[in-house]
Amino acid sequence: MTAEVNPNASDDVFDGVSDEPRDEPHDELRYVYAVCRRLSGPLHADLAGVGGAPPRQLAHAGLVAVVGPVPARDFGLEPLRAHLEDLDWLSETARAHQHVIGALTAVTCPLPLRLATVFRDDSGVRAMLEDENARLRRILDRIEGHVEWGVKVWLHPDARGLASAGSSRPRGAPASGRDYLRRRREQRTASEETTARAEVLARRLHAELARSAAASRQHPPQSPALAAADSGLNVLNAAYLVPRSYAEEFLELIGRTESSQPGLRVEVTGPWAAYSFTDDADDTGMTETTGTTGTTGTTGVTGATRKDTETG
């Protein structure tokens, strides 16, 4: 099975790689995928994580860290910095990370940690679970029973082009340089108006979805360089924390919006673990929403993801 990487949280995951010194005396480090409540049973025997190693549960202080062994030659500070320049290595690691998170999401509501959250040994992981216990529990309480859905709205490039073409009333070649400039101005104005209308519709959709979600977060629009050539203009890039039981209604709401707006394409991904809702609302631009599903928020876990003991 090939794991899909959550496209809505990948920037956050990559930005969180720990940069603390790791002059560990051991050949193996502990890679931490997520923190969760105690599971009712063991992890699937065939589940493989980073480097193909099976993850395991490390229980401490009423919580469970899902961890796996990784070699220091790859995840020590200097080797990791070199690997971060290798997109193939980075993509493979992110897929393996997401594969484990996805398996956990099917049976619980995990709090996913950032890519390459590494500790020297089990004692370092236990120290994190103890030091961050209150915050981790608050976050787990808030995301309990919820999953993340990603929603992107694209304005098809043809929609802008057709608007520009329709604004050019005269047919044939321009009669003069002034006529040419006037046509170009009209085309630009029509394209800008089409984009502005799409952005208004995207804002309305976001407001409606946010009212139906426990919490929402708007990400920066996706860069054209990272999108497919025919994707168009990204006018909404958002994530929503939605109760599992409300998923069908939430998706129907999105579908009604897409079918009523020609020229707009709505891309939905998920359900994911709550990647976008594991930090402080004030720090992430997350919006707490009171709607049909209630009110929720999140607390940051930066300390948890950057902790590492100074001694082996």
Side-chain angles (χ1 to χ4, degrees):
M1 177 179 178
T2 300
E4 185 181 5
V5 177
N6 182 351
N8 302 298
S10 58
D11 289 343
D12 292 338
V13 170
F14 294 158
D15 287 346
V17 175
S18 177
D19 56 4
E20 293 188 7
R22 299 192 189 101
D23 296 327
E24 55 287 314
H26 307 296
D27 294 333
E28 277 191 347
L29 304 175
R30 297 295 182 267
Y31 188 109
V32 186
Y33 298 91
V35 174
C36 58
R37 306 287 189 186
R38 289 180 181 270
L39 301 178
S40 58
L43 297 174
H44 196 284
D46 294 333
L47 181 61
V50 174
R56 61 182 173 86
Q57 300 179 58
L58 194 163
H60 184 72
L63 296 175
V64 170
V66 178
V67 306
V70 290
R73 66 177 182 274
D74 287 327
F75 286 88
L77 178 58
E78 292 305 323
L80 182 58
R81 282 178 172 166
H83 280 313
L84 292 180
E85 303 298 324
D86 183 346
L87 293 182
D88 290 337
W89 184 93
L90 194 58
S91 296
E92 181 180 356
T93 302
R95 283 193 296 270
H97 180 100
Q98 174 60 33
H99 184 60
V100 174
I101 299 299
L104 289 171
T105 304
V107 296
T108 187
C109 290
L111 192 169
L113 299 191
R114 298 177 188 268
L115 191 74
T117 298
V118 178
F119 294 80
R120 286 195 177 91
D121 49 30
D122 285 0
S123 65
V125 181
R126 292 191 186 96
M128 178 271 289
L129 291 176
E130 192 161 328
D131 293 345
E132 303 289 339
N133 197 270
R135 279 200 296 176
L136 295 172
R137 287 176 180 272
R138 284 199 302 269
I139 298 169
L140 288 168
D141 287 343
R142 288 163 177 164
I143 65 176
E144 178 66 30
H146 293 72
V147 290
E148 175 177 324
W149 290 93
V151 178
K152 294 180 182 178
V153 177
W154 302 88
L155 175 61
H156 196 279
D158 288 349
R160 303 174 76 193
L162 290 174
S164 300
S167 69
S168 303
R169 293 187 300 271
R171 302 298 181 182
S176 64
R178 179 177 296 179
D179 186 35
Y180 170 80
L181 292 174
R182 178 180 58 78
R183 292 190 192 188
R184 289 293 302 274
R185 184 170 60 252
E186 289 177 348
Q187 291 170 355
R188 184 170 59 251
T189 299
S191 178
E192 290 172 351
E193 289 175 351
T194 300
T195 300
R197 285 195 296 270
E199 290 173 344
V200 169
L201 292 171
R203 285 196 295 271
R204 290 176 181 170
L205 173 61
H206 172 66
E208 189 169 5
L209 295 180
R211 284 194 296 271
S212 301
S216 63
R217 177 179 176 183
Q218 285 191 268
H219 299 286
Q222 185 166 332
S223 168
L226 300 177
D230 59 347
S231 293
L233 179 67
N234 184 207
V235 293
L236 177 67
N237 183 11
Y240 304 90
L241 188 66
V242 180
R244 290 179 186 268
S245 59
Y246 189 69
E248 185 174 346
E249 292 87 344
F250 186 78
L251 296 177
E252 287 177 354
L253 179 60
I254 297 172
R256 289 198 300 270
T257 299
E258 181 176 26
S259 61
S260 65
Q261 303 298 335
L264 290 184
R265 179 174 61 87
V266 182
E267 176 186 341
V268 182
T269 60
W272 306 104
Y275 279 100
S276 298
F277 303 95
T278 59
D279 293 320
D280 228 6
D282 292 340
D283 293 337
T284 64
M286 188 188 74
T287 302
E288 293 188 19
T289 305
T290 302
T292 58
T293 60
T295 303
T296 190
T298 59
T299 304
V301 291
T302 303
T305 61
R306 288 189 179 273
K307 283 274 187 183
D308 205 349
T309 54
E310 290 299 322
T311 59

